[in-house]
Structures are given as C-alpha cells and as structure tokens.
Amino acid sequence: MSQPTPAATELPALPGDTTVAFGVADIIVVVFYFAFVLVVGIWSSIRASRGTIGGYFLAGRSMTWWPIGASLMSSNVGSGLFIGLAGTGAAGGLAVGGFEWNATWALLALGWIFVPVYIAAGVVTMPEYLQKRFGGQRIQIYMSILSLILYIFTKISTDIFSGALFIQISLGWNLYLSTVVLLAVTAVYTIAGGLTAVIYTDALQTLIMVLGALVLMFIGFEKVGWYEGLQEKYSTAIPKIIVPNTTCHLPRADAFHLFRDPVTGDIPWPGLIFGLSVLALWCWCTDQVIVQRSLSAKNLSHAKGGSVLGGYLKIFPMFFIVMPGMISRALYPDEVGCVDPDICKRVCGAAVGCSNIAYPKLVIELMPDGLRGLMIAVMMAALMSSLTSIFNSSSTLFVIDIWQRIRRKASEQELMIVGRVFILILVVISILWIPIIQSANSGKLFDYIQSVTSCLAPPITALFILAIFCKRINEPGAFWGLIIGLAVGLVRMIIEFIYSTPSCGEEDRRPAVLKDLHYLYFALILCVLTVIVIVLISVCTPPIPEEKLACLTWWTRHRKVPAIGLKNYKSEAAQINPVNGESNLVESADSGDKEDAAKPPCWKMLYLWFCGLSTGPTPTLSQEERAALEQRLTSIEEKPLWKTVCGVNAILLLTINVFLWAYFG
C-alpha cells in the first residue's frame, strides 16, 4: 500500500507509507531558514543586556510595541494551535475560531487594566505580584509550582507532540530524532540569549508563519471553490466507510455558525462567551508566558500598543487555520473525516478519529516545492517560538519564586546560571514525556488542552480579578480559595482521564458530570465558586492595612511607596519584602562576587560570554541612581498623544471584533 493517492476502492494509506518527495528546493529552504533564525538569535543576544535579571528575563525593559504584539501572537499560536484548531475545525466547523476572537477582549484588558498595576508594583513574575499583594510565602510557592505543572502538561507536551506529528507525517523522520534536533536548537538560543533573543526571533517567525499560512489558505480556497464551494463541499464530506446506524460521519448542520445550541451544541454559545472569557483572562492576563512579553515594554503606551497589535493578529487564525482545517476535510474525507476505529488507527494511529492530521495533510498535498519546505520550517518555527517562550518563562518562575526561597543570599551570577540549568532540565523532561503523549493520543488535541486548562485555571482567574479590584481580599481568603478551587478542578480532571471519550458507535458510559456539563460551563462554575470562597473567608478575617496596598491594586496604582534608606533597602531586598521587593528589577549592586584582579582563563571568559555575565567588576549604583532607576521602572505615566492613539485603536479593534462575531454568529 505505498501509493500516495489511494484509489476509490482501497483503504486510505498510512501517513508513514506516503513518503512525500521532499524536493531539493524544500531542503534548501529549511536549512537557510534555520541558519537565518540562529543568526537573528545570536545577533539579538549580543545586543541584549543579559548579565542581570532585569536584562535576561525582561529584555532590559526596552521593547517597543511591534515586537511585543508579534511575540504575544506567536507565543500563543504554537504548532499545537495549528494542529489543534485546524483539527477541531475539521471535526466541528467554525465555532472553535471563537476561541481566537475572544482573545481580543482579554488582550485589551491586559494592556489597560492588568499591566498598569503590574508595572506600578514593580514585579517580574505573577506569583511575585501575589506575594506583594497578600504577603506570606505560601501563595507564591503554590502559584509557581502550579504554573510549572500547567506548562509541562498543557503547553510543552502538546506542542512537542504536535510538532513531532507534523514532521513525522511530512518527512517520515523518526519522531524522537526530529524532536531532539528541534529542542537542541531551541535550547541553545534561549539559554544564550534570554528574553531579547526570544522576542526578536518571535517577531521574525510570526511574519513567516502568517505569510505561509495565508498562501496555503488561498491555494486551499481555490481548490474548493472559495467560501460558497467550501460550504457545499464540507456539508457533503462523508467518508466511504462508515459505522452503520450512527451519525458521527455526518458533518454538523451548524458547522458554519459560531453560536450553537446551549444544551446540545459541541461548543455551546454561553460557554463560548462567558466560560471561555474565564480561560482567556487566565491565558492573556495572568499567565507568565504572555504577561512577561508586555512587562518588557519601554513604557505603558508601548505595552498597550503591543496588546492592540496582538488583538488585530488574533483575528486571522479563523481564516488561515480553522477554515483550512475544514477545507482539508472537504478534500480528504476518508483520511481526515474517518470514523471507523480500525481505519482511523491505520491512518493516524488513533482510534477515536484523525482530525489532528487536517493541517499537515493539506500542507503536504497542496503546497508546491520550496513553499512546502517553507511551511515545514514555519511549523518548526511555531513549535520553537512556543517552546522558547515557555522555557524562558519557566526558568524565570523557578529562579525568582523558588530558588530565591531556598538560597536567600544567592548572587546575581548564581541566579543566572541556575535559570539556564533549569531550562536544560525542562528539555530532558519534555523528551521523556513524548511517549506518554503518543499513547494518550486523544481525538482532538485542542479539546485536550482546553479541558485540562478549564480544570486548573479558573481559580487563578478569580484570584487575580479580586486581587486587582477588591482591596478587602486578604491572604487567608486567597490561599484557601485557590486550594478549594484546585481540589474541585482536580476531581473533574481525574474523572476525565479515567473515562475516555467513546469512539463512534460506542455507548457513552461517562458520568453525568462529564457527559452533560461542558468544560466551558465547568470553568465558569469553578470561577464563581472560587470567588465566593475567597470573599467569604476574607470577610471573616482581618483586612490588609490600606497603606500596605500602595501600587498593588487598580485603585491605588498611582500611590507611591514611601522612600526607604539604603541600609534598610538591602536587608529588605535580601528578604524580598512584600511591599518594597523591587530587588529583582533593580540590579543588585553587590551581586557579582568580587573577581580577582587577574584576568580569568580563556575557557571561563567564553563561558561567561555565553551566559552573558560580565567579566569585569560589577558597577555599584549610588543610592540616588538606584532610586531614579526604580522610579523609571515602575512609572505608568503616558504622553497624552500616545494614550489617545492607543485608545482610538482599541475602540476600532473592538468594533471589527463585534462585527465579525455578528457576521459569523
């Protein structure tokens, strides 16, 4: 069965069987592309200030609006999203595009509401913000560990799986070989460059990703006869071999509508608007990977501009990911739309369905030579940009929230090295995780990501909204709200892993809490439950004194913390005091161990250069310089002109967004 295009009577060929002739042009494009990415990475690393925490983790607070907007888009649109969104689109139609359009509102909330508070508070990580806002250690440690778990289970593992699936289908390489090569290149420039390298390479990859995906979209639309042709062909895209007496092979009647029945819909409309907003706020406004991009802005106007650009870019995935997924099903119903468990297992190795292969299938079949190579490079790029973002943010979390707890007096140099070693450990965990993802090959990758997120993220959303808007909330309320929310979420998540989704023709034996309660409804319920618990416990315990909340809530963001003496400052910095813990942003003056007057040996010079650590003695800031630097880093002042420009653009973006919802609703 090695024919690339099976005849009508034969069964669909296996992806492994259809070895696509990967042309010389394709290979040249891939090699050239990777060389180019590495050069950009190294160039931005050399330019960047990498020897300090503020430099390595926040790109020295020097980023302008356009790389931030591009990076917001690409660190979210990884290869997991390409495979997952197109797959769910192929299986169920347009509604999943609403996940992308919902992000616009959350991005504007990030720029206008959340970032001003984070900048005024002078924080590098989200758990650090909670620690300043509530005091105590336990919330910060809980949040850091939960974030790292979420990264490994939802982000790192799914991105690697989908990237590897893509390479396997398109090149017929061994899954492990391709993954290891990819991770090695990624790790080299994340470790060497810090956030500046990540943001510049992200901007480049977003551009190529969007252009490549647009080319494929036009080729695909031309094949099916544009939008009218897609509507007609998609509704008749039925595989030749079906399971008798079932309807799972039929495309959904409401495939071309965003708003679906609140009870019987696969993505019910109240869930899409309200439940999804809970997940979107977690993802865009409280998640380290995304917020870290905005916090690296030169000033608040640039952060807002980045949000607006990100919002405009998020309009496109509906057209260049979801619709091509539907085109793929219309053109290849036997492979993408298969329902018979035995055939599905032959086509893609998963009995529950093969919608995940929708996008790679389209690339392999429709793209001309050279462009196919570019698209594969883009998918690798999408995977790499997601992974670099996550690796960088995970090491930030680990170093600042966990390592500084263990070693209070750690020098800046030690923190930089620990951050880089931690990335290497994450790479190893990721490679070990691949076989587990392969065996737990669920039907729709995107649904797997969203349902895990809806079990773990809503309590965090609830806490951040209350922390920013409600001064009465205190530490016991916040902590117990998180713990109870997590317990309820974990119960549902464990039930989900025990009872898998039935394949076509099987009886649904799942308990009612899974079968009848959609995960988006569950996210909303869990968020409301957490809010009630936090408020009740906070009201029953003493409030936080008003003066301790300066700069830490929406209402007190312009109130400045009183200045403190340098001696006092140093001891506070060592303890990472809740109110004045700017220690992570302002370079610790006495950080570098006193170097010998003699020049270090060559190998040490090379190693110090790779890690971006200075070879000379560290400059010491005077008290006045330190105060001025701190003032600049935590300023949320804006020039009236740019404030207006950002505001007008935001209103325009919302208008376009509402129009699109109404048109496709």
Side-chain angles (χ1 to χ4, degrees), residues 242-263:
I242 60 171
V243 179
N245 308 322
T246 61
T247 57
C248 27
H249 55 278
L250 296 173
R252 292 186 65 89
D254 54 7
F256 287 87
H257 297 287
L258 278 175
F259 296 126
R260 305 201 170 162
D261 190 279
V263 183

Side-chain angles (χ1 to χ4, degrees), residues 49-52 191-192 416 420 607-614:
S49 56
R50 305 170 300 148
T52 61
I191 291 173
M416 303 303 303
R420 287 159 163 96
Y607 150 77
L608 287 171
W609 172 81
F610 183 72
C611 285
L613 299 166
S614 63

Side-chain angles (χ1 to χ4, degrees), residues 338-395:
C338 75
V339 285
D340 184 285
D342 301 331
I343 292 184
C344 290
K345 206 133 186 72
R346 291 196 46 204
V347 172
C348 64
V352 280
C354 287
S355 56
N356 279 343
I357 68 165
Y359 204 82
K361 182 84 183 150
L362 211 57
V363 172
I364 300 310
E365 300 285 349
L366 297 188
M367 281 297 220
D369 280 1
L371 277 180
R372 189 189 301 133
L374 183 67
M375 257 334 260
I376 284 164
V378 165
M379 297 310 289
M380 311 273 240
L383 175 69
M384 282 168 56
S385 71
S386 307
L387 288 177
T388 43
S389 305
I390 292 159
F391 287 154
N392 188 278
S393 302
S394 308
S395 70

Side-chain angles (χ1 to χ4, degrees), residues 572-614:
E572 302 232 353
Q575 296 163 7
I576 320 180
N577 179 282
V579 186
N580 307 306
E582 314 277 300
S583 60
N584 298 323
L585 285 184
V586 182
E587 286 84 338
S588 38
D590 49 350
S591 63
D593 302 332
K594 300 284 176 281
E595 301 249 353
D596 304 327
K599 212 172 170 200
C602 294
W603 65 268
K604 192 168 183 192
M605 294 278 282
L606 185 70
Y607 150 77
L608 287 171
W609 172 81
F610 183 72
C611 285
L613 299 166
S614 63

Side-chain angles (χ1 to χ4, degrees), residues 623-633:
Q623 188 176 344
E624 289 75 22
E625 287 170 328
R626 175 172 286 237
L629 181 62
E630 197 172 310
Q631 175 65 39
R632 187 176 70 78
L633 288 176

